């Protein structure tokens, strides 16, 4: 990347992830405990939410194809941040990095809330609030500790948990379909809204299940042969998750009564118990969901650090995020800072909200969709600005169509998040503006100092502000040629 600045040791991060590990990172980041809690969050809308799920799946595939194409164009760590920066400049890049960083640690809070729901199948069955908070904090800091040991350990753990988490999902997506009872579905549209309104609202929640499809592009600098492996991992991982998601969610809707589904913390557990009777099957599913949650938190904890690391190397995030620690080149500050913030929002949510999962989910979706939107716009910009370079008109038309669909899907997801979520999301996004001003101010001061040394002008003299005191206070050696301006008799001009 042009203008990039190395942090820590001054070397690029180690490329330790092959195609299997990169694919596992995508699948593991997408499939967390979110999907295991999603049927309950969608239950208030009824089976019409399955229509929303199909729409979201198509949009997610358009995004995956778009990100895959972008990663071939810019095979560097940072994903949506890098694409926005290269296409639209530093400020757009910063806003994307800031928004995605919020998504990553707020998303971890949502994942761990759902994870606690399955842990409490075995402990804290009375759902004491403060014990739930303690369990959530344990769930956040175990993956942080794994990430701090290095990317190889993180990748190995990700592959293991990805394999284990597929057991209950594949079971529900295959065997569970046989046990569907149509009487469990309830009213097709139980929301009381119009069909379009219900699909939009349910779609905003369903999109949370696909957050993480950009995982391989975010850590492209740590993937071997990123131009080849990142697009494949992104598209293949999203396709696998899409099939599993739709079929398993349909099975849960058809095996758990609609009236009960909205009030359970562990819908897949209830579905398994209804299929086999007793509790043993549900306990197996709950155990797999716990493993799945830890695996998702493991992957997302890495993403929490990688995006700001890429931005910090370019001077668009606090420099502390660019420092690498140890022989494994671990961005330790980003891991710890993001986990602390996720812990704080988790504690806050448990003490303030009844529907903790849904509230955090909607905020995470909104802050994730903004980088998705900019990525689709970047792809469209490059295609249209350089369309003449495409030797194949059909491929050009296909790529433009996919980018337009991804862009339209992003806008649709934002409006479906609801007015309150958009308000809070816009507020936290704009909180980054003062941070950007602070970062650029420091860079401007450094640039002025360098220019001053190069021109032989003392640094203090070089930093004279353009807006001066009244004319009578100017020294005799200086005179003005316009209001607020300054001209020296020796021909030198003040400049930034």
């Amino acid at each position: 990347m042009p203008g990039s600045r190395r942090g820590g040791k001054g070397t690029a991060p180690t490329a330790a992830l092959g195609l299997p590990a990169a694919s596992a990172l995508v699948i593991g980041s997408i499939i967390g405990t979110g999907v295991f809690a999603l049927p309950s969050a969608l239950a208030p809308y009824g089976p019409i939410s399955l229509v929303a799920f199909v729409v979201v799946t198509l949009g997610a595939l358009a995004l995956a194809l778009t990100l895959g194409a972008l990663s071939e164009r810019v095979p560097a760590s940072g994903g949506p941040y890098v694409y926005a920066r290269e296409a639209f400049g530093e400020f757009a890049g910063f806003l994307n990095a800031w928004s995605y960083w919020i998504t990553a640690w707020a998303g971890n809070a949502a994942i761990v809330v759902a994870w606690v729901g399955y842990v409490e199948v075995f402990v804290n069955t009375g759902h004491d609030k403060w014990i739930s908070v303690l369990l959530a904090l344990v769930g956040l800091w175990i993956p942080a500790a794994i990430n701090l040991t290095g990317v190889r350990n993180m990748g190995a753990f990700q592959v293991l948990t990805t394999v284990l988490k597929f057991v209950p999902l594949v079971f529900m997506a295959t065997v569970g379909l046989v046990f569907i009872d149509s009487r469990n579905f309830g009213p097709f549209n139980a929301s009381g809204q119009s069909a379009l309104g219900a699909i939009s609202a349910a779609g905003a929640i369903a999109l949370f299940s696909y957050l993480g499809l950009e995982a391989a592009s975010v850590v492209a600098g740590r993937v071997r042969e990123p131009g080849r492996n990142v697009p494949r991992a992104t598209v293949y991982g999203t396709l696998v998750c899409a099939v599993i998601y739709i079929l398993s969610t349909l099975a849960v809707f058809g095996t758990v009564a609609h009236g009960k589904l909205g009030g359970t913390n562990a819908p897949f557990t209830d579905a398994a118990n209804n299929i086999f009777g007793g509790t043993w099957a549900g306990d197996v599913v709950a155990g797999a969901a716990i493993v799945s949650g830890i695996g998702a938190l493991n992957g997302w904890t890495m993403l929490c650090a990688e995006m700001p690391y890429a931005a910090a190397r370019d001077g668009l995030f606090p420099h502390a995020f660019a420092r690498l620690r140890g022989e494994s080149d671990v961005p330790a500050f980003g891991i710890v800072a993001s986990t602390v913030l996720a812990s704080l929002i988790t504690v806050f949510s448990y003490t303030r909200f009844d529907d903790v999962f849904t509230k955090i989910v909607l905020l995470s979706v909104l802050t994730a969709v903004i980088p998705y939107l900019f990525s689709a716009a970047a792809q469209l910009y490059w295609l249209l600005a350089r369309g003449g370079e495409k030797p194949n008109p059909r491929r050009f038309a296909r790529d433009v169509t996919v980018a337009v669909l991804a862009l339209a899907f992003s806008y649709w997801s934002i409006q479906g998040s609801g007015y309150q979520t958009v308000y809070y999301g816009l507020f936290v996004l704009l909180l980054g503006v003062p941070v950007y001003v602070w970062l650029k101010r420091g860079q401007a001061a450094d640039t002025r100092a360098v220019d001053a040394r190069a021109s032989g002008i003392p640094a203090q003299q070089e930093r004279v502000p353009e807006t001066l005191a009244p004319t009578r206070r100017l020294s005799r050696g200086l005179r003005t040629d316009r209001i607020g301006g300054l001209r020296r008799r020796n021909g030198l001009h003040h400049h930034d």
Side-chain angles (χ1 to χ4, degrees):
M1 289 179 293
S4 66
R5 299 190 309 196
R6 307 283 186 186
K9 299 177 180 179
T11 58
T14 305
L17 303 177
L19 180 59
S23 300
L25 178 62
V26 173
I27 296 171
S29 299
I30 293 176
I31 299 180
T33 47
V35 65
F36 288 97
L38 198 67
S40 297
L42 295 175
Y45 301 96
I48 196 172
S49 58
L50 294 172
V51 177
F53 221 140
V54 172
V55 174
V56 167
T57 298
L58 294 175
L61 289 173
L63 284 170
L65 290 169
T66 299
L67 290 169
L70 286 167
S71 65
E72 291 184 82
R73 189 185 299 275
V74 189
S77 284
Y81 152 72
V82 177
Y83 312 146
R85 180 182 183 276
E86 294 297 317
F88 306 120
E90 288 190 344
F91 185 60
F94 168 79
L95 283 182
N96 277 266
W98 179 263
S99 185
Y100 191 85
W101 184 56
I102 294 171
T103 294
W105 55 259
N108 274 2
I111 292 171
V112 83
V113 167
W115 180 80
V116 168
Y118 282 92
V119 172
E120 291 182 340
V121 170
F122 304 103
V123 298
N124 192 34
T125 54
H127 305 296
D128 179 89
K129 179 171 62 180
W130 290 109
I131 296 179
S132 297
V133 170
L134 179 61
L135 291 171
L137 295 178
V138 171
L140 288 170
W141 283 97
I142 288 176
I146 293 171
N147 271 264
L148 289 171
T149 65
V151 68
R152 291 186 184 277
N153 292 337
M154 175 271 166
F157 187 77
Q158 197 69 16
V159 172
L160 175 63
T161 55
T162 297
V163 172
L164 292 176
K165 74 174 61 179
F166 262 90
V167 175
L169 291 173
V170 172
F171 171 80
M172 292 304 299
T174 53
V175 177
L177 296 174
V178 179
F179 293 88
I180 288 178
D181 185 342
S182 60
R183 292 172 296 181
N184 289 324
F185 285 107
F188 181 69
N189 182 2
S191 67
Q193 306 178 48
S194 66
L196 185 59
I199 291 173
S200 295
I205 297 174
L207 180 58
F208 179 77
S209 297
Y210 285 106
L211 299 189
L213 59 89
E214 71 288 343
S217 66
V218 172
V219 300
R222 296 183 182 271
V223 178
R224 294 191 292 272
E225 299 182 61
R228 175 177 178 271
N229 289 332
V230 170
R232 292 185 177 188
T234 301
V235 175
Y236 295 163
T238 304
L239 279 171
V240 169
C241 293
V243 173
I244 295 295
Y245 271 5
I246 293 175
L247 295 180
S248 61
T249 303
L250 174 64
V252 172
F253 265 79
T255 53
V256 180
H258 178 262
K260 183 180 179 182
L261 186 59
T264 179
N265 292 323
F268 275 77
T269 292
D270 292 343
N273 286 336
N274 289 345
I275 290 172
F276 290 104
T279 60
W280 68 269
D283 290 346
V284 172
V285 171
I290 291 170
V291 173
S292 175
I294 286 292
L297 288 166
N298 180 60
W300 273 100
T301 298
M302 183 180 189
L303 300 185
C304 281
E306 284 296 320
M307 177 82 74
Y309 165 75
R313 287 177 62 189
D314 294 331
L316 296 179
F317 233 71
H319 186 64
F321 286 90
R323 298 193 186 105
L324 300 177
R325 303 291 185 186
E327 296 181 359
S328 300
D329 295 330
V330 176
F333 181 84
I335 293 171
V336 173
S338 300
T339 307
V340 168
L341 289 169
S343 301
L344 291 175
I345 195 174
T346 300
V347 173
F348 177 80
S349 298
Y350 265 110
T351 56
R352 294 294 298 272
F353 300 133
D354 293 327
D355 51 344
V356 180
F357 179 74
T358 302
K359 294 287 187 185
I360 305 178
V361 159
L362 289 173
L363 177 62
S364 301
V365 166
L366 181 68
T367 52
V369 167
I370 291 171
Y372 293 164
L373 189 152
F374 271 91
S375 296
Q379 172 71 341
L380 196 59
Y381 163 75
W382 276 318
L383 287 171
L384 297 179
R386 305 176 185 178
E389 300 176 7
K390 291 281 186 181
N392 189 332
R394 289 187 177 180
R395 181 179 178 183
F396 173 72
R398 182 202 66 190
D399 290 347
V400 168
T401 301
V402 170
V404 169
L405 288 175
L407 188 66
F409 174 70
S410 299
Y411 280 116
W412 178 73
S413 300
I414 290 174
Q415 70 85 28
S417 298
Y419 294 113
Q420 186 179 37
T421 304
V422 171
Y423 168 78
Y424 284 119
L426 180 63
F427 180 77
V428 297
L429 178 65
L430 294 180
L431 282 177
V433 174
V435 177
Y436 180 78
V437 172
W438 172 63
L439 290 169
K440 298 304 291 183
R441 175 186 176 277
Q443 291 177 20
D446 292 343
T447 301
R448 285 195 299 267
V450 171
D451 290 346
R453 287 194 294 270
S455 60
I457 302 174
Q460 286 186 339
Q461 183 172 310
E462 177 64 20
R463 292 193 180 99
V464 174
E466 289 188 16
T467 303
L468 298 175
T471 305
R472 66 177 180 272
R473 293 189 179 181
L474 294 173
S475 68
R476 293 181 180 180
L478 302 172
R479 61 188 177 90
T480 57
D481 58 358
R482 64 184 184 274
I483 296 176
L486 175 64
R487 187 173 66 195
R488 296 184 184 275
R489 289 180 175 174
N490 61 7
L492 292 176
H493 295 268
H494 171 73
H495 62 283
D496 285 331

